[in-house]
Structure formats: structure tokens, C-alpha cells
Amino acid sequence: MASARKRRGRSSNGTGTITKRSATSFEVKYTYKDVTGKSKRKSKYFKTRAEAESFRLAIANEIMSGNYKDAGTLTVGGWCKFWFETYNNNVRPSTKSNYEGYINNKIIPFMGDKKLEKLTTNDLQVFFNTIKAQGNIKTDGPLSDKTVKNIYQMLHCCLGQAVENDLIRKNFCDGVELPSQDVKEEARVLNKEEREKIFYALDNCNDLIVRKNEQLHLEKSSTRYATDTLGYRYAIYVALYTGARIGEVMALQWKDVDFNNNTISIRKSLGRHKDYNENAPAKTILEIGNTKNTESRRSVPMPEKLRDKLLKHKAEQKKLIKNLRETFVNKGYVFANVTGNPIETRTIQDFFKKLLMIADVGDGNLHCLRHTFATKWLESQRDIKTLSAILGHSSSSTVQTTLK
């Protein structure tokens, strides 16, 4: 006796089955791989066998041709992780590390479990409003406008890829209005008196450190400052005279310094970031990488005073290398440690803080040297377009926005 439920077996090409559930219900079951490569099973019901067979053939063709796309049970968090692992091979390591933090610390806690196909513009608007209001949980401070914008840009790119992959119908970031901007603090710029004090401290660095240590000894303080034997002070000169980012300064090699034409070529940047190598012995790695953007690869003028300083530094480094010949491997870095490797930017930052204290100048960070260079340039009535090129900005408006 025939069964009340007729089932047609799996099709000859292995792309779906049709099962009769009732007189007016036919189920099509098919298997596909989702965007993460996992096998998924899905069903769809039709009133007639003809409709079911038509769908089965169409879906089989899409699957076999690789054109089938289905968000299915994929969540926002799942897609963000897949996008991060699959589509970010060409971004800078520091950017990749930031993206991972945004996904794990912001997106997943807020809407990681939400189905990607159910995502709306309203969900994203609430998300951005919320993370701005919550602030930075780790530092208990406000979440900067720049960070909010960076998260938006990353998520826009991430969802844009989901649109390209036919997982969602549009990029829902397009309708989001980012929360109102904070009142921006004025950039720290060294005035003329402060610049003079810093140049004096740089020119007399080690003598001033010795005097400071003598003073600390008389005060019976246990604090002592090491003299600058590796030429940290010359990195400060470069930043002051060129406006270069400190990561760019620390990545310089002597081949980048043209003493004949008085120019410095900036092509790379030094930074510490998460090590994504599975067999990495440490969590982070110090690495020379690309500059911030294409415009950041540039040639900048080297003033005569800076040229003289760097020639002096090169001579001093040559003597140092001779004394350290057993441990020093010369890799050509302008600023190198005792093994010949590049010096960390945070080491120069610590040195700069010490220099400000010795020079009796108010607190600041190395980035204020970049602001100071730009401000001094504009005060000299020189054009902003040239300044933008020297600083490695993509447009002159970036300079104006930064200095406001």
C-alpha cells in the first residue's frame, strides 16, 4: 500500500529533495554553505509539486554556480567576525587591531546576537547614540568623536561587503546621523618662549641631566635620570623641524636622509600592535609598516640647522657602533638601540616628558611638536597647500580642522 506521504529522494546531482507533507504542501530541503563556509540545511514549502520542483532546480543552479547567498541564522556579530578575518588583509596592523577592539568591545556586546537580515537603520542609530553616551568604559572618560567616526567607517565598510555578498539589501549605515560633536580642545602649541627653552635643553641635554641628578642627590631623592647616549634628542629635532609623526621619525633609515639635496624621504612608520601570528611568542610586535595613507609617503625639506644636527648624530652613532660591535647589528636606522633595532616611540615619548621637566616647560606630548610646526608655518605667511603636503595630509582642510 502506498504511503500517504510520498517522498522523492535526493536529486541525482545532490542538490535538494522534495517531500510531500500533505495534499497541498510540498517541502524542499537543500544544503548550502554559508558565508563562513559552514554547511547549512534549509527548508521551504510550496502548495504544488511543480512549484517545489521549479524552486529546487533554481536553487540548485544558484548553489552549483556559487551565486547562492543567504544570511540565514548569521548574526551581526558573526558577520563582523567573518568580515574582519576575511576582508582586512591589506589594512595597517594598527588599524586591524582597532577594528578587532571595536567589534569585540562595542558591536558584539550591543547587537552581536541580532540576525544580520533583521538589522535596521534604527538599530544602528541607537547603537551609535548609546556608545557615545556610555563613553570609554576602560578609562571612564568620554568616547571621542574620532573613535565614534572610526567605528562608523569600519561598520559602513563591513555592511557594504554584506550588500556586495547579497546578504542584506542595503547599507543601513547610510541613514545614520552620528551623535553631536564634543567641544574640541585647542591643540597644544608651544609658544616662542617654550620653543627656546626646549631647544636650549636639547642643545645641552646631557649637561642638564647631570646637573639635575646632582640636585636630586642633594635633595636625597632616589630618582636619577639616564643621559642620552643613543641620540633620543635628535629625534625631537627631526619632529620639530619637519612636523613628521613620531612613528615616521623612528622608522627613518640613513638612506632616507639626502644630505646633498637637503631632503628627508618619509616612506614607513614604526608602531607596536597586536601580533596576529598564531605562533607568536608575545602578544604584541614592534614593526615597521606603511605610513598612514598614500599622501603620507612624501619628501620633506631638511633645514640647514637640522642637517647639521643629523650629521653630528651620524658621527656620534658611528663611534657608538664601534664600541658596541659585539652586540650591534647595523640595519641603517637613524635612531637605533644598542642592538641596532629601531627605538620604540613610547621610549622617545618618555624622554620628551623628561626633557619638558628639565626645560621647565608645561606638560605636552610629542604630537604637540607637529601642531607647533604647522602653526609656526602659517604664522610665517606660508601657503597651506605646501604645509599639507609636508605634513602628509590628504587635503588642506585637514590641516585647518586639526589646528582649530
Side-chain angles (χ1 to χ4, degrees):
M1 183 175 176
S3 171
R5 226 187 239 179
K6 279 191 173 181
R7 174 184 176 120
R8 177 176 294 176
R10 188 177 296 276
S11 62
S12 59
N13 60 12
T15 51
T17 59
I18 298 176
T19 301
K20 185 177 181 180
R21 292 302 183 187
S22 69
T24 58
S25 179
F26 293 84
E27 179 187 18
V28 177
K29 286 184 179 180
Y30 58 97
T31 303
Y32 65 96
K33 290 186 182 298
D34 68 11
V35 289
T36 65
K38 293 181 180 179
S39 292
K40 299 288 185 180
R41 186 83 164 154
K42 196 167 185 180
S43 295
K44 191 166 183 178
Y45 292 87
F46 299 88
K47 292 182 179 180
T48 68
R49 182 178 292 279
E51 291 175 332
E53 180 64 13
S54 177
F55 173 78
R56 188 197 69 75
L57 289 172
I59 209 72
N61 182 58
E62 286 190 34
I63 293 171
M64 291 171 64
S65 64
N67 294 323
Y68 179 75
K69 307 292 182 183
D70 190 288
T73 58
L74 189 61
T75 62
V76 172
W79 168 250
C80 285
K81 283 187 173 182
F82 176 74
W83 171 83
F84 173 78
E85 294 168 357
T86 308
Y87 294 98
N88 284 284
N89 295 322
N90 295 322
V91 300
R92 297 174 72 212
S94 57
T95 302
K96 188 172 183 178
S97 182
N98 287 338
Y99 283 178
E100 187 176 31
Y102 299 155
I103 291 170
N104 292 334
N105 302 326
K106 297 297 181 185
I107 296 172
I108 289 180
F110 186 85
M111 55 182 175
D113 293 334
K114 188 175 186 64
K115 295 287 182 63
L116 180 64
E117 62 183 5
K118 299 293 185 182
L119 188 66
T120 66
T121 297
N122 186 62
D123 292 329
L124 296 178
Q125 185 66 63
V126 173
F127 165 70
F128 283 106
N129 291 348
T130 302
I131 62 172
K132 180 65 178 177
Q134 285 179 340
N136 191 322
I137 298 174
K138 287 186 178 180
T139 63
D140 198 30
L143 196 65
S144 70
D145 290 335
K146 185 177 185 300
T147 299
V148 174
K149 186 177 180 180
N150 288 345
I151 295 173
Y152 172 84
Q153 290 173 336
M154 183 210 73
L155 198 51
H156 191 280
C157 184
C158 176
L159 295 180
Q161 190 63 54
V163 174
E164 290 293 320
N165 290 15
D166 296 325
L167 297 174
I168 52 178
R169 60 186 177 84
K170 71 173 188 176
N171 194 328
F172 295 103
C173 275
D174 288 335
V176 171
E177 182 178 334
L178 293 181
S180 58
Q181 295 186 344
D182 300 326
V183 176
K184 191 171 183 179
E185 292 185 12
E186 190 174 342
R188 170 83 160 100
V189 176
L190 301 169
N191 59 38
K192 183 179 179 181
E193 182 183 356
E194 289 175 322
R195 292 197 300 270
E196 289 175 351
K197 285 183 176 181
I198 287 176
F199 275 120
Y200 178 81
L202 286 169
D203 292 340
N204 302 276
C205 177
N206 286 334
D207 288 342
L208 292 175
I209 289 175
V210 170
R211 291 181 200 171
K212 185 64 179 178
N213 285 336
E214 290 173 351
Q215 177 188 339
L216 291 169
H217 175 71
L218 291 174
E219 295 173 356
K220 296 183 178 181
S221 170
S222 59
T223 302
R224 294 292 184 276
Y225 297 107
T227 54
D228 178 21
T229 59
L230 295 174
Y232 296 168
R233 59 194 180 280
Y234 295 105
I236 308 300
Y237 282 124
V238 175
L240 274 166
Y241 280 114
T242 68
R245 302 174 180 92
I246 193 60
E248 297 169 341
V249 174
M250 305 318 294
L252 288 175
Q253 293 180 291
W254 285 114
K255 64 182 180 182
D256 301 319
V257 183
D258 187 342
F259 289 108
N260 293 322
N261 296 306
N262 290 340
T263 59
I264 295 176
S265 296
I266 296 174
R267 297 289 179 267
K268 298 290 182 180
S269 183
L270 176 71
R272 179 169 288 280
H273 57 81
K274 181 177 177 178
D275 193 345
Y276 288 95
N277 187 335
E278 293 181 0
N279 300 317
K283 292 183 178 180
T284 62
I285 184 173
L286 185 67
E287 191 172 59
I288 299 287
N290 292 326
T291 52
K292 191 172 183 180
N293 49 48
T294 304
E295 290 77 13
S296 294
R297 293 191 286 275
R298 62 205 187 274
S299 180
V300 300
M302 177 171 55
E304 196 68 31
K305 288 183 179 179
L306 178 58
R307 181 181 186 275
D308 293 342
K309 297 296 182 186
L310 287 180
L311 283 171
K312 183 179 179 182
H313 171 52
K314 191 172 186 180
E316 290 175 356
Q317 190 185 70
K318 189 175 181 180
K319 292 179 182 178
L320 182 66
I321 292 173
K322 189 175 181 180
N323 293 332
L324 296 173
R325 58 183 176 274
E326 293 183 3
T327 60
F328 193 97
V329 178
N330 195 350
K331 299 176 182 177
Y333 288 109
V334 176
F335 304 105
N337 60 23
V338 292
T339 63
N341 290 312
I343 298 169
E344 289 220 36
T345 56
R346 63 183 179 184
T347 300
I348 303 300
Q349 180 72 270
D350 292 341
F351 172 78
F352 182 62
K353 292 280 188 180
K354 178 176 68 177
L355 187 78
L356 292 178
M357 183 271 298
I358 292 174
D360 192 28
V361 173
D363 192 31
N365 57 36
L366 284 167
H367 206 65
C368 77
L369 302 181
R370 187 167 163 85
H371 291 305
T372 300
F373 174 87
T375 301
K376 191 179 176 185
W377 177 282
L378 295 175
E379 286 176 349
S380 301
Q381 303 299 313
R382 287 181 281 186
D383 68 295
I384 194 169
K385 187 176 180 180
T386 302
L387 173 62
S388 178
I390 290 174
L391 293 177
H393 285 311
S394 57
S395 68
S396 301
S397 61
T398 307
V399 179
Q400 294 170 320
T401 302
T402 302
L403 294 177
K404 282 180 180 178

